[in-house]
């Protein structure tokens, strides 16, 4: 019985091989069925296995593999089927590069997506890769994209038997010309790369520039950095300027806490202990000032018009500085008025020792007209 089945199978195979189109169609169908089985069952089994792990990147990898694996198997079936059929060489010289191009495009898209997911996963935990963090992530994503696209384009053109030597030489000459013509743009580009790598500030930080602008960093691009001021005005600064200027990062350090300073003067003769107690009470009663570190009061100096005090406290964000200073100053003024503590202002006493005689005497006229005018 088994020998009969083998003989029958050989008979049908010999019949199929006598008809190349039928043979090619069966080859394509077989590869399509194999692709469907692998996509439906094998990858589904792998997906159940990866679901049991804590990592999420393997789940995304399996999800991304469905499309390229399925269509790659189908394209391989087309390549095998094309080899079965007796096709003129002029046609195969077009078909096979087209097949390779489709395969390269499928896996190029897969690599771009998977690289982006992998880089973002690494950026979330920069314990091992200190240079890759959320601020430098766009830089590495762009570099990976350029590398993958460059390699893919090279092999696609090579599959069409296009000589890349002349293209690379032309690209070098064009690059030199573009470098001279766009030196300012390139300066901004390289400064943007250094800013992303060095990370002197990050998005949502409050920075103060040497020229006086203060605002929240809303975007760090390859060409420029954007700040949003408290007046809701967006300021765009070229990265070459940001890389060569003094930048004060108010949100830098281990946390975003920011210390505000409220300065006030009291008249000479005031009770220093009472003033210190009142200012401390005002700072402690302000709900938006952190209780730790606790606010402090300092007697700074003897001013020209009064005694200079300073109230210092920590707040959650630098953006709240103006509003909280307004609340503290208002509370201090009301408390001083209530307790009769004087806030001095600039006073100047003018002493006139004597008047010139010419200014006190008026010249007499013969007709008395001057006296009449004076009256």
């Amino acid at each position: 019985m088994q020998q009969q089945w083998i003989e029958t199978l050989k008979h049908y195979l010999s019949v199929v091989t006598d008809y190349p189109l039928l043979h090619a169609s069966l080859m394509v169908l077989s590869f399509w069925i194999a692709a469907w089985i692998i996509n439906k069952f094998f990858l589904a089994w792998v997906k159940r296995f990866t679901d049991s792990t804590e990592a999420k990147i393997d789940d995304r990898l399996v999800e991304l593999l469905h499309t390229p694996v399925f269509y790659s198997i189908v394209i391989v079936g087309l390549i095998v089927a094309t080899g079965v059929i007796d096709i003129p060489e002029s046609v195969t010289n077009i078909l096979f590069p087209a097949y390779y191009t489709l395969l390269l495009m499928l896996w190029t898209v897969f690599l771009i997506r998977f690289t982006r997911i992998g880089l973002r996963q690494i950026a979330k935990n920069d314990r091992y890769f200190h240079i890759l963090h959320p601020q430098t992530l766009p830089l590495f994503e762009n570099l990976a994209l350029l590398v993958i696209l460059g390699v893919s384009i090279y092999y696609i053109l090579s599959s069409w038997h296009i000589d890349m030597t002349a293209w690379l030489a032309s690209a070098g000459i064009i690059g030199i010309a573009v470098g001279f013509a766009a030196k300012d743009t390139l300066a901004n580009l390289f400064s943007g790369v250094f800013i992303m790598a060095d990370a002197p500030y990050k998005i949502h930080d409050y920075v103060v520039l040497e020229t006086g602008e203060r605002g929240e960093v809303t975007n760090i691009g390859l060409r420029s950095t954007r700040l949003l001021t408290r007046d809701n005005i967006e300021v765009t600064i070229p990265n070459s300027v940001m890389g060569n200027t003094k930048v004060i990062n108010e949100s830098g350090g281990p946390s975003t806490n920011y210390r505000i300073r409220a300065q006030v003067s009291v008249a000479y003769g005031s009770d220093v202990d009472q003033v210190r107690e009142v200012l401390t009470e005002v700072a402690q009663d302000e709900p938006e000032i952190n209780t730790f570190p606790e606010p402090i009061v300092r007697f700074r100096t003897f001013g020209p018009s009064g005694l200079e005090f300073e109230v210092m406290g920590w707040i959650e964000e630098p953006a709240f500085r103006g509003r909280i200073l307004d609340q503290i100053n208002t509370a201090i003024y009301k408390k001083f008025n209530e307790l009769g503590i004087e806030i001095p202002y600039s006073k100047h006493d003018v002493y006139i020792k004597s008047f010139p005689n010419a200014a006190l005497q008026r010249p007499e006229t013969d007709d008395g007209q001057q006296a009449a005018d004076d009256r």
Side-chain angles (χ1 to χ4, degrees):
M1 186 69 178
Q2 184 177 2
Q3 185 66 27
Q4 184 179 358
W5 278 103
I6 294 175
E7 293 296 331
T8 305
L9 181 61
K10 287 182 179 180
H11 173 70
Y12 281 111
L13 288 176
S14 62
V15 172
V16 169
T17 54
D18 292 338
Y19 297 93
L21 289 178
L22 178 61
H23 189 189
S25 300
L26 290 176
M27 294 294 295
V28 173
L29 180 62
S30 301
F31 275 90
W32 186 89
I33 293 173
W36 182 81
I37 292 173
I38 292 175
N39 185 62
K40 192 71 175 179
F41 296 100
F42 179 74
L43 290 181
W45 175 80
V46 175
K47 182 66 166 59
R48 287 196 296 270
F49 176 75
T50 57
D51 286 340
S52 62
T53 62
E54 296 182 359
K56 299 298 181 183
I57 190 170
D58 51 358
D59 300 334
R60 299 298 306 275
L61 174 61
V62 175
E63 292 176 3
L64 293 176
L65 279 174
H66 281 280
T67 300
V69 167
F70 179 84
Y71 287 105
S72 294
I73 296 174
V74 173
I75 292 173
V76 171
L78 290 173
I79 294 174
V80 174
T82 304
V84 171
I85 304 174
D86 187 13
I87 299 178
E89 186 178 355
S90 59
V91 178
T92 57
N93 289 337
I94 297 176
L95 285 178
F96 284 114
Y99 293 148
Y100 298 146
T101 301
L102 290 175
L103 284 173
L104 287 170
M105 291 175 63
L106 280 171
W107 289 101
T108 297
V109 173
F110 166 77
L111 282 176
I112 291 173
R113 292 178 177 176
F114 181 68
T115 302
R116 187 173 300 166
I117 294 172
L119 289 175
R120 292 179 180 177
Q121 189 70 27
I122 296 172
K124 291 180 180 178
N125 185 5
D126 57 354
R127 181 170 51 184
Y128 303 108
F129 300 93
H130 300 288
I131 193 173
L132 180 57
H133 45 79
Q135 287 70 47
T136 60
L137 178 61
L139 171 62
F140 285 94
E141 286 183 343
N142 292 329
L143 289 177
L145 177 64
L146 292 175
V147 170
I148 294 172
L149 287 178
V151 173
S152 177
I153 292 172
Y154 175 81
Y155 282 104
I156 287 174
L157 294 177
S158 297
S159 67
W160 291 91
H161 306 291
I162 297 176
D163 187 10
M164 296 296 296
T165 305
W167 289 85
L168 293 175
S170 301
I173 297 173
I174 294 173
I176 294 174
V178 171
F180 281 109
K183 58 181 181 179
D184 293 337
T185 302
L186 290 177
N188 291 328
L189 176 63
F190 285 113
S191 297
V193 171
F194 295 144
I195 288 173
M196 290 182 181
D198 190 38
Y201 49 83
K202 58 185 181 296
I203 295 177
H204 301 308
D205 279 358
Y206 272 82
V207 299
V208 181
L209 304 184
E210 193 173 10
T211 52
E213 290 90 349
R214 175 181 180 267
E216 178 188 3
V217 179
T218 57
N219 181 65
I220 304 174
L222 290 177
R223 193 194 67 83
S224 62
T225 297
R226 297 179 185 176
L227 304 181
L228 186 65
T229 67
R230 298 300 295 166
D231 298 325
N232 204 31
I233 297 174
E234 187 176 71
V235 182
T236 302
I237 306 101
N239 284 332
S240 59
V241 176
M242 294 294 292
N244 294 301
T245 190
K246 178 182 177 181
V247 179
I248 300 174
N249 189 349
E250 295 183 346
S251 302
S255 68
T256 60
N257 288 348
Y258 179 80
R259 186 158 71 172
I260 60 173
R261 302 168 183 267
Q263 298 176 346
V264 62
S265 297
V266 297
Y268 280 99
S270 301
D271 188 342
V272 174
D273 295 330
Q274 181 190 20
V275 172
R276 189 188 303 274
E277 182 181 350
V278 169
L279 294 177
T280 302
E281 180 183 348
V282 169
Q284 291 175 346
D285 290 343
E286 173 56 48
E288 294 196 70
I289 291 184
N290 297 345
T291 56
F292 182 82
E294 63 181 7
I296 57 175
V297 177
R298 291 287 184 263
F299 178 12
R300 288 302 186 191
T301 186
F302 298 93
S305 302
L307 308 177
E308 305 288 342
F309 284 83
E310 189 173 50
V311 184
M312 295 178 289
W314 293 90
I315 60 176
E316 294 292 336
E317 295 285 346
F320 307 150
R321 182 185 68 177
R323 175 170 54 82
I324 298 176
L325 273 177
D326 171 74
Q327 296 170 186
I328 291 177
N329 288 334
T330 302
I332 291 173
Y333 184 76
K334 291 180 178 179
K335 199 70 174 180
F336 279 11
N337 278 342
E338 178 184 339
L339 299 176
I341 300 175
E342 181 183 355
I343 301 177
Y345 53 88
S346 181
K347 301 176 183 178
H348 300 280
D349 295 330
V350 180
Y351 297 93
I352 303 176
K353 294 183 178 180
S354 63
F355 293 95
N357 292 331
L360 297 176
Q361 298 177 356
R362 295 196 179 269
E364 295 181 359
T365 58
D366 295 339
D367 55 1
Q369 183 64 35
Q370 183 64 41
D373 291 340
D374 289 341
R375 289 194 299 270

